[in-house]
């Protein structure tokens, strides 16, 4: 499993949001990812929700603000601490719980949540079937996650990343879902321009790339070229 030690380092944690989401194209990707998560999960008001590998709580806090009764679980205590501070600033510290744990062994009984999701996590896994089975076990209704796509711009610069990423084809995802007893209920494909490149662009240039991307997305090439896919599955 990649990333377990990486995200324990203080400098990595301090830089996590600043490097990726605080400027120009990075801010745009943060907004687009949040849109994709809301699109896949809403309505969440009153639902019991678990986010695995929640990191600094970007989505956890957003969903608490939407009325979810939410738990964020991550293996890195420094990432969780960032999440707790974010929840405090947003005034939702009472409705969100951040908990240290390993997503391979979720400390909850079967069907404990209505919804279980994880974002920017499946690319770190060596054994995705094991993690998906755990997500499925503790969810009574819905499981939602994203994958980095094998046949996309993502594969072009994967070699340059410190950990590399596991990439998935559509058929691999389908077989993972059916192996876990999940039914695909919806999907969304985004980022023809991989978000690692987006974040290096100033806001105006990123906006122009986004406009171009939206034009491509409306063509038959849009979905196959997307570097990220969001998978919305129902517990069968
Ligand atoms: C790329 S970050 C994504 C964080 C967050 N989901 C986001 O999109 O901003 C990956 C996260 O996975 C966490 N992680 C890695 N292995 C884990 C495991 N076995 N169980 C729980 N969390 C894990 C890391 O600590 C890190 O916070």
């Amino acid at each position: 499993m990649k990333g377990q030690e990486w995200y324990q380092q203080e400098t990595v944690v301090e830089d996590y949001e600043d490097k990726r989401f605080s400027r120009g194209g990075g801010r745009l990707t943060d907004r687009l990812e949040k849109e994709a998560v809301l699109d896949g999960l809403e309505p969440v008001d009153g639902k019991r929700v678990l986010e695995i590998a929640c990191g600094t709580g970007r989505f956890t806090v957003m969903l608490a603000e939407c009325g979810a009764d939410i738990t964020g679980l991550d293996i890195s205590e420094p990432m969780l601490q960032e999440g707790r501070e974010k929840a405090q600033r947003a005034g939702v510290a009472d409705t969100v719980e951040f908990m240290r744990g390993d997503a391979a062994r979720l400390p909850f009984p079967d069907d404990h949540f209505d919804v279980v999701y994880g974002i920017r996590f499946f690319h770190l896994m060596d054994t995705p079937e094991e993690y998906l089975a755990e997500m499925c076990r503790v969810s009574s209704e819905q499981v939602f996650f994203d994958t980095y796509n094998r046949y996309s711009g993502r594969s072009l610069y994967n070699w340059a990343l410190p950990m590399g990423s596991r990439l998935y084809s559509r058929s691999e995802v389908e077989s993972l879902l059916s192996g876990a007893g999940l039914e695909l209920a919806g999907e969304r494909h985004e980022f023809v321009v991989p978000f690692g490149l987006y974040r290096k662009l100033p806001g105006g240039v990123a906006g122009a790339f986004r406009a171009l991307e939206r034009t491509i997305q409306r063509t038959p090439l849009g979905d196959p070229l997307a570097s990220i896919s969001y998978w919305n599955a129902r517990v069968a």
Side-chain angles (χ1 to χ4, degrees):
M1 173 89 208
K2 303 179 186 77
Q4 287 196 11
E5 286 84 35
W6 180 260
Y7 291 104
Q8 310 281 344
Q9 301 170 63
E10 272 187 20
T11 48
V12 171
V13 174
E14 277 164 19
D15 285 355
Y16 181 73
E17 294 219 11
D18 191 40
K19 256 171 90 176
R20 289 171 180 77
F21 311 120
S22 68
R23 285 178 281 272
R27 206 174 286 164
L28 179 72
T29 60
D30 184 48
R31 181 168 62 73
L32 294 174
E33 285 184 280
K34 286 177 173 160
E35 267 176 34
V37 170
L38 281 178
D39 183 43
L41 299 187
E42 273 201 318
V44 291
D45 192 13
K47 286 198 181 161
R48 301 196 61 168
V49 180
L50 171 68
E51 178 176 2
I52 60 159
C54 65
T56 55
R58 289 191 299 139
F59 308 106
T60 337
V61 169
M62 173 184 76
L63 293 187
E65 289 174 316
C66 295
D69 171 9
I70 189 161
T71 301
L73 177 138
D74 200 283
I75 207 153
S76 161
E77 186 53 37
M79 292 290 267
L80 289 166
Q81 192 49 37
E82 295 281 317
R84 289 187 192 106
E85 286 165 22
K86 187 179 283 140
Q88 198 79 46
R89 286 194 299 275
V92 292
D94 291 344
T95 54
V96 54
E97 183 180 2
F98 285 101
M99 168 186 280
R100 183 151 195 248
D102 184 350
R105 286 178 296 278
L106 294 171
F108 308 105
D110 296 358
D111 301 332
H112 191 64
F113 296 94
D114 302 309
V115 177
V116 178
Y117 74 100
I119 302 297
R120 293 199 186 208
F121 183 53
F122 271 58
H123 68 292
L124 298 173
M125 294 177 189
D126 299 323
T127 53
E129 47 294 307
E130 182 190 2
Y131 290 86
L132 195 59
E134 266 302 85
M135 293 170 82
C136 193
R137 181 183 67 75
V138 301
S139 176
S140 63
E141 284 177 24
Q142 185 180 7
V143 171
F144 182 83
F145 60 96
D146 65 341
T147 53
Y148 293 7
N149 294 333
R150 185 176 297 287
Y151 305 110
S152 72
R154 176 83 203 182
S155 58
L156 289 180
Y157 75 97
N158 213 18
W159 56 268
L161 300 175
M163 285 174 278
S165 294
R166 185 180 181 118
L167 305 178
Y168 296 77
S169 67
R170 183 185 185 87
S171 63
E172 282 170 285
V173 173
E174 284 171 348
S175 110
L176 275 174
L177 291 174
S178 72
L182 289 165
E183 279 171 10
L184 186 59
E187 57 193 91
R188 174 170 171 152
H189 309 280
E190 280 285 357
F191 297 109
V192 172
V193 179
F195 44 46
L197 293 181
Y198 252 126
R199 76 172 191 235
K200 298 192 169 34
L201 303 173
V205 182
F209 266 89
R210 177 63 185 160
L212 176 65
E213 182 169 71
R214 284 185 64 80
T215 307
I216 297 171
Q217 278 177 334
R218 283 189 213 105
T219 73
L221 283 178
D223 286 358
L225 288 178
S227 61
I228 305 292
S229 292
Y230 297 89
W231 306 100
N232 188 357
R234 299 274 152 202
V235 178

